[in-house]
Amino acid sequence: MTMIALVAALLLLGIMLGAVAQLPLSVTFVACSVIGAWLLVFAVRERRARQH
């Protein structure tokens, strides 16, 4: 299940990067921040799961 979340995050990041030319810069920064936070939370959860 966690691998699906990672693939979905990377897919969403790829879509957003493709849409950068269409979106205003402020929207791009907000979207990238949200995706980055999602990936950071995912990485922390995975690290905690492996330590236990």
Side-chain angles (χ1 to χ4, degrees), residues 7-52:
V7 170
L10 292 174
L11 179 64
L12 184 58
L13 180 62
I15 290 170
M16 290 306 300
L17 286 175
V20 166
Q22 310 289 328
L23 295 174
L25 196 57
S26 60
V27 175
T28 302
F29 283 139
V30 169
C32 288
S33 297
V34 169
I35 293 170
W38 183 19
L39 288 172
L40 184 63
V41 168
F42 176 79
V44 169
R45 287 181 62 205
E46 283 297 308
R47 179 168 285 215
R48 282 188 179 170
R50 289 179 189 224
Q51 287 179 352
H52 287 94

